[in-house]
Amino acid sequence: MVQTIKIDWKNCYGIKELNHEFQFTSGKQIHLIYAPNGSMKTSFAKTMRYLSGQSKEKPCDKLHDKDESNFILKANDLELPKENIFVVNGDDDIDCSKSFVNFLASSELKNRYDSIYQQLSEKKDLLMSKLKNVSLSSDCEKEIFGTFKQNEIDTIFSILERLTNEVKSGLPKFEFRYNDVFDTKENVKKFTEANKDNLNVYIENYNRLLGASKLFRTVEGHTFGTYHVAQLQQYVSDGSFFGVNHKIVLQDNTELSSEKELQELVDNEQQRLLKDKNLKKAFDKITKAIDKNIELRGFKSILNNHPEWIPEIINYEVFRKKVWLGYLADNEIKPLFDAYIQVYNKNKEALQQVLKEANSQQERWEQIIALYNTRFHVPIKVSIANQKDIILKQEAAKLQFSYIETPSTETKVEKEVLEKILSRGEKRAFIILQFLFEMEARKTMDHDTILVMDDIADSFDYQNKYAIVEYIKDIVVNSSNKFYILVLTHNYDFYRTLSSRLSLFQPNLWMAERLANGKVIINQGQYKGNVYTNAFIDHDNDDKIFISMIPFVRNLIEYTKGESDTDYTTLTECLHRKANTRTITIEQVINIMIDFTQGRGMKRPKSAGKIYDLIMQTADNIIAEDNPNQVLIENKVCLSIAIRHLAENYMHDKMIAAGKSEEDLAVTGNQTGRWTGQFKKVCPRDAHYTTIERVNMITPELIHVNSFMFEPLIDMSIYHLIQLYKDCKDKLK
């Protein structure tokens, strides 16, 4: 069991330095890390991808390539093999070809199959190598498979077995470059279809001449042509037939007593056929049509040498089969074919037993597909098109996709089409399917897996987000201590949801922080569950938290009593430049808050000190910190309130000096926004208008706190606020 994972990294992409140890205990094998944008998440995942072998890009500092990088990762103080690490990102396709094979059958069953497969492959590869030399085909195995395939469960092995009874010595061998007739673009096939009339005229004349021949014959639908004569010559070519004084007697009683006599008759009859004017005229029309297509040059050469093949070629697919059977029956190739069949027959029963047992073990496969189709809300339905081939060919499964247009309408589509019509979130959900396969495969492996999830649910709608949360929970609960998980996210809602569903608490919750010098530290996680209750109530002795409670409580009053309530008005005056802002005391604020602290009261002693002074002093203290915490909400809320006061004070004084009255500046609603609009008109040439605009752009979400969504507060960089506060203090005087 993995108890610790230690990280010691330097200059790994954007991470200048990171030293951290994650500790695991049984039942708590997951750590959840919230990392604001730009802090470390992408750099962390890229480094782990290199360590897992999923990427060949070695970690470095892209901006300072001379700085030496260090990327040590240890589990239980031992170096981790790359096979023990896996990184999943919602944007990256997963190569799970090996996974499909591995988890479809047990290790013992797979070993039995591999032994048989190796013997068959050796014989098959020798056969295909010799076939390539003879046929000059670019891919003999693929061509034979496509030529003789009868159904979806066919494999090259079953096809070769089926051809056993057809591959016999003496079959005619058509000697030509295979792709000159059976080209990949099917130009010859298209030509035969487009010129069928001319070809049929040739064949009619050819058959007419056959009818007048003593050797070639066509009688009542039965034809004995050049192909059949070639077969006959093959059968008697070894001299055995004529050597025992056998004779061939033709229909007109002509007797042939030797191979020489047979050959002379064949030559004479062929010459008579080819000299026929009508046949030659039909042949010329065919060659003229061929000349119009330069890609048929090789095909034309074949017809010039063997015009007698035209009746064969017009039956294109039948001719293709005859060609391959002729190759396989060749004297040099047939012994290799027979050797393969011998090995196949010897292992056939054992192979069938392995496949039978493997099929019975494929229930997990079906369960994964069912889980995906049930849990994930995507307009596609997935099924498996080639379950047997996955083991036989050791390649990835061919997934069959159907696009769901309506609940009762499914359209089968290719993966490439899906990628064009699915949204980004739907594409991510599709990648999750590959992830499910990978995880199931790793459950069967002998070693543990350090699993890194990099924003795996980003761009998901809520239904799919909850689906992946449930699956992560399944891995944690039902993986028999096989997985040790690091989940990284910049999505606070996902962080909060996952921590809640998995009942995660410290020390399994973290928030990453990037310091000004580029060093990354990982702090204990904050803000799980109800932020106001858990992080603020009972902590009001802290000046930052006390000040940050003002907009929270103001929201609560707005929801319960309404904006006309006097307490709401008082807290609004704490947040904006109003007539009473600088006179409101800390005691007044405490008295308002007491009703909203769930009966626990306030720990902060009541004071006559002014809340405005406390706000400004607290902001000064934050910017004086060496490394202010980037994640803490209270830092950001306090700075934002102080920044707004500085901006409103400046606009107020400038507009009053320009002739506006207090009555002119009295507004309802968004005071900062409305004042900014007035300020632009009243003081159009003010040198610091851009600073005011920055205040208006950055601070509203951090002050008008929505009590249900806190991601803008957490995700905002505190360094932006620190710089803006400094600019306001320096310029807005």
Side-chain angles (χ1 to χ4, degrees):
M1 176 179 172
V2 175
Q3 295 177 322
T4 61
I5 294 177
K6 292 183 180 179
I7 294 172
D8 181 9
W9 294 351
K10 287 184 180 178
N11 301 315
C12 294
Y13 305 107
I15 298 174
K16 287 292 183 183
E17 184 179 350
L18 172 59
N19 294 281
H20 193 79
E21 178 179 299
F22 295 99
Q23 296 184 351
F24 295 89
T25 57
S26 182
K28 293 293 182 181
Q29 294 157 228
I30 179 171
H31 288 266
L32 176 58
I33 307 160
Y34 176 83
N37 278 323
S39 59
M40 56 79 82
K41 185 177 64 63
T42 301
S43 298
F44 189 96
K46 287 176 69 175
T47 303
M48 292 295 281
R49 281 179 64 82
Y50 173 78
L51 293 171
S52 71
Q54 292 169 262
S55 170
K56 295 183 179 179
E57 184 181 354
K58 190 175 182 179
C60 63
D61 189 323
K62 295 285 188 180
L63 295 178
H64 307 93
D65 54 6
K66 292 183 180 179
D67 291 350
E68 185 178 351
S69 295
N70 182 59
F71 34 88
I72 297 173
L73 179 69
K74 292 185 177 182
N76 298 341
D77 291 324
L78 299 174
E79 296 287 342
L80 265 174
K82 64 181 181 181
E83 294 79 12
N84 291 57
I85 308 169
F86 186 78
V87 182
V88 58
N89 178 290
D91 287 327
D92 297 326
D93 278 332
I94 301 170
D95 179 12
C96 44
S97 56
K98 293 182 180 178
S99 305
F100 287 118
V101 178
N102 289 341
F103 84 87
L104 280 176
S106 64
S107 298
E108 183 272 334
L109 195 61
K110 188 68 169 56
N111 289 337
R112 282 163 53 196
Y113 172 76
D114 286 344
S115 176
I116 300 171
Y117 182 87
Q118 184 176 358
Q119 296 178 59
L120 288 172
S121 292
E122 287 176 357
K123 297 297 183 182
K124 174 180 67 71
D125 291 345
L126 284 173
L127 174 63
M128 295 302 162
S129 177
K130 191 64 176 180
L131 277 173
K132 184 174 183 179
N133 293 337
V134 174
S135 68
L136 301 179
S137 168
S138 56
D139 191 337
C140 294
E141 183 172 341
K142 180 180 178 182
E143 289 290 342
I144 291 174
F145 182 79
T147 300
F148 295 98
K149 178 184 176 184
Q150 293 182 352
N151 51 57
E152 290 301 319
I153 65 173
D154 256 341
T155 67
I156 188 64
F157 301 121
S158 63
I159 287 171
L160 290 176
E161 179 197 20
R162 194 162 58 240
L163 295 181
T164 304
N165 296 328
E166 298 185 53
V167 178
K168 299 181 182 298
S169 297
L171 290 180
K173 180 180 170 185
F174 298 90
E175 297 191 49
F176 60 91
R177 185 177 177 273
Y178 180 83
N179 291 104
D180 283 344
V181 176
F182 304 103
D183 55 304
T184 55
K185 295 182 180 179
E186 295 194 328
N187 287 315
V188 173
K189 185 176 184 179
K190 294 172 186 175
F191 174 83
T192 59
E193 292 171 351
N195 294 273
K196 190 167 289 185
D197 290 342
N198 287 336
L199 291 167
N200 282 328
V201 169
Y202 179 91
I203 293 170
E204 286 174 9
N205 281 282
Y206 185 76
N207 288 334
R208 174 179 55 80
L209 293 170
L210 288 184
S213 170
K214 64 169 61 179
L215 177 62
F216 305 118
R217 302 280 290 169
T218 296
V219 178
E220 297 180 355
H222 298 285
T223 297
F224 185 78
T226 55
Y227 172 77
H228 306 91
V229 169
Q231 284 183 298
L232 175 62
Q233 288 181 293
Q234 285 281 345
Y235 288 133
V236 300
S237 62
D238 63 355
S240 299
F241 180 81
F242 291 111
V244 296
N245 297 322
H246 283 319
K247 295 181 181 179
I248 296 175
V249 180
L250 303 183
Q251 185 265 348
D252 67 348
N253 294 320
T254 298
E255 293 185 2
L256 302 174
S257 302
S258 68
E259 187 179 352
K260 180 181 178 182
E261 290 179 1
L262 174 61
Q263 185 63 54
E264 287 176 353
L265 179 61
V266 171
D267 292 341
N268 291 335
E269 288 296 297
Q270 286 183 338
Q271 287 298 316
R272 186 181 65 82
L273 293 177
L274 298 177
K275 287 180 180 179
D276 183 83
K277 292 182 180 179
N278 291 329
L279 190 68
K280 190 175 185 304
K281 183 179 179 180
F283 184 76
D284 288 343
K285 285 186 177 181
I286 295 170
T287 56
K288 285 180 181 179
I290 292 176
D291 288 337
K292 296 177 182 179
N293 190 338
I294 193 172
E295 293 182 325
L296 297 177
R297 186 180 299 165
F299 178 55
K300 180 181 178 181
S301 177
I302 291 172
L303 291 191
N304 283 333
N305 293 324
H306 296 282
E308 72 275 10
W309 288 356
I310 291 177
E312 301 289 348
I313 294 174
I314 196 170
N315 297 312
Y316 191 80
E317 295 302 333
V318 174
F319 183 56
R320 189 199 297 266
K321 292 181 179 180
K322 289 180 179 179
V323 169
W324 280 116
L325 290 174
Y327 289 147
L328 290 168
D330 181 79
N331 290 336
E332 294 185 5
I333 295 177
K334 192 171 187 302
L336 297 176
F337 177 78
D338 292 340
Y340 162 79
I341 293 299
Q342 183 178 2
V343 172
Y344 181 82
N345 287 334
K346 179 181 178 181
N347 292 281
K348 180 179 178 180
E349 186 175 335
L351 180 62
Q352 290 176 341
Q353 182 61 32
V354 167
L355 294 178
K356 181 179 179 181
E357 293 181 34
N359 285 335
S360 69
Q361 293 184 14
Q362 290 182 9
E363 184 178 352
R364 280 185 298 172
W365 179 284
E366 296 166 359
Q367 289 173 346
I368 293 172
I369 296 296
L371 180 147
Y372 179 80
N373 287 332
T374 302
R375 283 191 180 176
F376 289 90
H377 181 67
V378 183
I380 58 174
K381 185 178 179 181
V382 186
S383 58
I384 309 303
N386 64 330
Q387 291 197 17
K388 264 192 177 179
D389 290 353
I390 296 161
I391 296 181
L392 280 172
K393 297 183 180 180
Q394 298 201 22
E395 63 182 29
K398 293 175 184 176
L399 302 179
Q400 177 66 60
F401 307 102
S402 298
Y403 188 82
I404 311 300
E405 298 180 75
T406 67
S408 59
T409 306
E410 297 182 9
T411 304
K412 289 185 177 180
V413 292
E414 297 297 325
K415 180 182 177 183
E416 293 75 17
V417 177
L418 275 182
E419 291 175 345
K420 296 178 181 178
I421 61 178
L422 295 180
S423 69
R424 184 165 181 257
E426 289 168 345
K427 287 178 183 177
R428 278 177 167 260
F430 171 64
I431 291 172
I432 294 301
L433 175 61
Q434 301 170 65
F435 168 65
L436 301 187
F437 288 139
E438 179 68 29
M439 293 305 98
E440 289 302 310
R442 287 180 174 267
K443 288 180 182 179
T444 67
M445 295 179 183
D446 296 331
H447 58 73
D448 299 328
T449 294
I450 306 301
L451 176 61
V452 179
M453 297 183 177
D454 175 21
D455 259 333
I456 193 172
D458 197 32
S459 299
F460 277 7
D461 58 26
Y462 276 94
Q463 181 168 335
N464 287 333
K465 187 175 293 186
Y466 290 133
I468 193 60
V469 167
E470 285 303 306
Y471 187 72
I472 293 173
K473 184 177 180 181
D474 289 347
I475 296 175
V476 173
V477 174
N478 301 316
S479 63
S480 302
N481 295 338
K482 297 285 288 186
F483 295 100
Y484 299 86
I485 307 171
L486 302 177
V487 179
L488 296 99
T489 182
H490 75 275
N491 185 305
Y492 173 71
D493 182 59
F494 182 70
Y495 167 85
R496 187 164 62 169
T497 300
L498 190 59
S499 62
S500 175
R501 293 289 180 93
L502 271 64
S503 301
L504 295 179
F505 300 93
Q506 297 174 350
N508 293 78
L509 288 178
W510 305 93
M511 285 184 165
E513 180 182 355
R514 179 187 173 89
L515 305 182
N517 62 4
K519 180 178 180 179
V520 173
I521 58 176
I522 301 181
N523 302 310
Q524 286 295 322
Q526 306 278 341
Y527 311 126
K528 179 181 182 295
N530 186 317
V531 174
Y532 178 69
T533 299
N534 295 336
F536 285 7
I537 292 179
D538 285 339
H539 302 287
D540 59 284
N541 268 337
D542 186 315
D543 291 341
K544 298 176 188 178
I545 290 179
F546 176 65
I547 294 167
S548 298
M549 289 175 69
I550 295 173
F552 274 90
V553 174
R554 178 172 173 268
N555 268 158
L556 296 175
I557 295 172
E558 178 185 0
Y559 300 148
T560 55
K561 298 181 180 179
E563 296 182 12
S564 60
D565 185 81
T566 56
D567 289 341
Y568 179 86
T569 301
T570 299
L571 295 187
T572 300
E573 290 171 341
C574 295
L575 304 177
H576 287 281
R577 165 68 183 260
K578 301 286 187 181
N580 298 326
T581 295
R582 300 202 182 202
T583 62
I584 299 172
T585 66
I586 293 171
E587 182 176 3
Q588 287 177 269
V589 174
I590 291 174
N591 289 337
I592 294 172
M593 289 183 177
I594 287 174
D595 290 338
F596 295 92
T597 54
Q598 298 184 340
R600 302 182 196 177
M602 302 285 290
K603 292 185 177 180
R604 174 175 290 270
K606 295 182 179 180
S607 164
K610 302 301 185 285
I611 191 68
Y612 178 86
D613 295 336
L614 181 64
I615 290 170
M616 304 312 295
Q617 182 59 53
T618 303
D620 286 339
N621 293 339
I622 292 172
I623 66 169
E625 295 176 11
D626 291 335
N627 286 300
N629 191 300
Q630 291 188 66
V631 175
L632 294 180
I633 291 176
E634 54 265 33
N635 280 345
K636 300 171 186 179
V637 174
C638 288
L639 282 173
S640 296
I641 295 172
I643 289 168
R644 175 169 284 187
H645 276 304
L646 292 173
E648 290 192 358
N649 290 341
Y650 180 80
M651 288 189 289
H652 174 273
D653 295 346
K654 287 289 184 179
M655 287 192 288
I656 292 295
K660 289 291 183 180
S661 66
E662 294 290 348
E663 289 75 15
D664 292 332
L665 299 183
V667 297
T668 57
N670 181 3
Q671 178 168 293
T672 309
R674 292 178 182 273
W675 276 15
T676 300
Q678 289 188 45
F679 180 69
K680 185 175 182 180
K681 295 177 181 178
V682 175
C683 308
R685 294 183 177 84
D686 190 273
H688 305 304
Y689 178 73
T690 55
T691 302
I692 298 296
E693 276 290 321
R694 286 166 61 204
V695 173
N696 198 38
M697 289 284 291
I698 293 176
T699 60
E701 286 76 14
L702 298 167
I703 298 175
H704 297 126
V705 179
N706 182 321
S707 299
F708 304 101
M709 295 294 290
F710 307 106
E711 187 168 357
L713 287 76
I714 297 172
D715 208 27
M716 168 68 74
S717 171
I718 193 172
Y719 293 111
H720 291 310
L721 292 169
I722 289 173
Q723 187 59 52
L724 182 55
Y725 181 75
K726 289 179 178 178
D727 289 346
C728 288
K729 289 204 71 174
D730 292 342
K731 299 174 182 179
L732 306 184
K733 298 177 181 177

